[in-house]
């Protein structure tokens, strides 16, 4: 990559909320490595995971619970932004239970105000929604609520209160986007408010049957691609088409970061990243990793080598 292109990418990344395509996203969800170390890694986006709530009585205000490992580290967000990274607040995650989400139904506007205030207080660039209450998307919730309707209402409320330059992302599990799994409920979200969501971080892990074989389940190499694959979502195989630059492929960085779906980082690069870049160029939405550390060879490869020499990062 010529130096002037690298400089242009860096300039674009420094524009709050407006990242160059494709994105290279990492979640920061563990104190194993200081957040400040990520400023020297090659990521375009860093998601702080996770802010949550405890179950909220109907007559009590919503109180956000920030991750305790961020104590003493919030001031380092500015260093990441100075290095050209977009830093997002991720809300929800696997540790936020059904009761907590259910207590927020009908209070989406209030929740959006609380999240927007937190983003402003911490000097962040936007909000990522990680909603993993599968039962609410299938009508089987023990505390019955419509997860699709909730996600639509929350997205609309966030877009209404966030400054225009701030981003909104969602991080659905791959099955949520497939007709093989309860009629692809997240496609209903995208059809309703996809124009208000900047990108999807699709979790191709912890979901056996939706992450391998790679060419079929993730890339979508077929005349009739799997609907939750990248090609399937772009083509609208599930009934609603999503632009390629809105789809970010999410994978575990290290084998202990997920129950399944981990691949050696060299395989991620050779068998997923490079083929998708070759096929879609800058219309490929990007790559996401769960989660940040610099303690293992896999993590260090993602931090330093994964995107070297590609349109996603600095030259080799």
């Amino acid at each position: 990559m010529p130096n002037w292109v690298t400089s242009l990418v860096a300039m674009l990344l420094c524009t709050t909320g407006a990242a160059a395509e494709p994105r290279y996203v990492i979640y920061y969800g563990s104190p194993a490595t200081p957040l400040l170390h990520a400023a020297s890694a090659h990521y375009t986006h860093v998601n702080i995971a996770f802010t949550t709530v405890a179950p909220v009585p109907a007559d009590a205000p919503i109180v956000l619970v920030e991750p305790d490992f961020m104590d003493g580290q919030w001031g380092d967000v500015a260093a990441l932004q100075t290095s050209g990274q977009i830093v997002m607040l991720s809300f929800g995650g696997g540790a936020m239970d059904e009761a907590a989400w259910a207590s927020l139904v009908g209070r989406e506007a209030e929740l959006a105000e609380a999240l927007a205030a937190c983003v402003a207080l911490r000097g962040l660039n936007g909000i990522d929604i990680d909603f993993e209450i599968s039962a609410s998307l299938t009508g089987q919730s023990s505390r019955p609520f419509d997860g699709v309707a909730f996600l639509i209402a929350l997205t609309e409320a966030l877009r209404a209160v966030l400054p225009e330059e701030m981003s909104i992302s969602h991080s659905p599990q791959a099955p949520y986007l497939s007709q093989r799994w309860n009629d692809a409920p997240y496609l209903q979200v995208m059809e309703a408010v996809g124009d208000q969501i900047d990108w999807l971080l699709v979790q191709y892990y912890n979901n056996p049957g939706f992450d391998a074989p790679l060419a079929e389940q993730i890339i979508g190499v077929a005349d009739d691609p799997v609907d939750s694959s990248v090609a399937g979502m772009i083509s609208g195989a599930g009934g609603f088409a999503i632009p390629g630059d809105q789809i970010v492929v999410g994978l575990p960085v290290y084998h202990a970061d997920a129950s399944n779906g981990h691949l050696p980082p060299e395989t991620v690069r050779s068998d997923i990243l490079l083929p998708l870049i070759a096929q879609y160029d800058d219309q490929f939405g990007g790559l996401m990793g769960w989660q940040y550390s610099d303690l293992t060879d896999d993590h260090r490869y993602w931090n330093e080598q994964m995107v070297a020499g590609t349109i996603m990062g600095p030259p080799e």
Side-chain angles (χ1 to χ4, degrees):
M1 182 184 297
N3 289 336
W4 71 266
V5 175
T6 303
S7 298
L8 178 59
V9 169
M11 180 181 70
L12 288 170
L13 289 175
C14 287
T15 303
T16 300
E21 300 287 356
R23 305 165 189 88
Y24 188 36
V25 184
I26 194 73
Y27 278 85
Y28 182 74
S30 164
T33 300
L35 176 65
L36 188 59
H37 289 199
S40 60
H42 290 165
Y43 301 105
T44 63
H45 294 66
V46 177
N47 288 354
I48 308 297
F50 291 98
T51 290
T52 62
V53 299
V56 184
D59 58 350
I62 293 172
V63 178
L64 300 181
V65 180
E66 297 177 332
D68 56 9
F69 58 78
M70 284 300 295
D71 291 348
Q73 295 200 93
W74 287 110
D76 294 329
V77 166
L80 274 64
Q81 293 166 329
T82 298
S83 75
Q85 294 165 329
I86 303 300
V87 186
M88 308 271 286
L89 174 75
S90 191
F91 177 72
M96 187 162 156
D97 64 18
E98 184 177 325
W101 285 106
S103 72
L104 300 171
V105 174
R107 305 180 69 178
E108 294 87 355
E110 185 182 347
L111 174 59
E113 292 279 2
L115 290 170
C118 184
V119 165
L121 174 66
R122 298 305 186 185
L124 303 173
N125 301 116
I127 294 172
D128 172 62
I129 301 299
D130 185 347
F131 182 85
E132 301 188 14
I133 308 303
S134 300
S136 75
L137 301 173
T138 66
Q140 299 171 4
S141 173
S142 61
R143 293 172 174 260
F145 72 97
D146 185 337
V148 169
F150 173 81
L151 288 165
I152 291 169
L154 177 58
T155 302
E156 291 174 332
L158 284 171
R159 187 52 76 194
V161 298
L162 287 174
E164 183 178 355
E165 70 274 10
M166 287 195 177
S167 300
I168 298 173
S169 64
H170 283 221
S171 51
Q173 299 181 57
Y176 297 173
L177 294 150
S178 176
Q179 294 293 340
R180 293 177 290 158
W181 192 88
N182 295 284
D183 301 322
Y186 233 92
L187 289 184
Q188 299 173 47
V189 177
M190 294 303 294
E191 189 168 9
V193 292
D195 60 342
Q196 300 175 51
I197 297 171
D198 293 285
W199 58 88
L200 294 179
L201 303 162
V202 183
Q203 297 182 43
Y204 288 103
Y205 52 94
N206 295 336
N207 290 289
F210 289 86
D211 53 39
L214 305 180
E216 174 186 335
Q217 296 293 338
I218 297 181
I219 296 175
V221 178
D223 293 335
D224 183 19
V226 170
D227 56 0
S228 55
S229 68
V230 174
M233 286 186 278
I234 292 172
S235 68
F240 181 79
I242 301 172
D245 61 4
Q246 204 173 5
I247 301 166
V248 178
V249 172
L251 295 166
V253 175
Y254 184 58
H255 68 83
D257 289 330
S259 60
N260 81 287
H262 172 262
L263 298 164
E266 296 88 347
T267 301
V268 175
R269 177 183 166 90
S270 63
D271 293 9
I272 298 177
L273 176 60
L274 293 180
L276 286 170
I277 289 175
Q279 185 167 355
Y280 298 109
D281 196 55
D282 62 357
Q283 292 303 299
F284 167 48
L287 180 68
M288 173 271 278
W290 170 266
Q291 58 182 324
Y292 181 75
S293 174
D294 59 15
L295 299 183
T296 74
D297 288 343
D298 280 12
H299 288 102
R300 288 189 289 271
Y301 189 100
W302 277 71
N303 299 346
E304 300 163 8
Q305 298 170 258
M306 179 69 75
V307 297
T310 77
I311 61 172
M312 298 182 65
E316 296 177 338

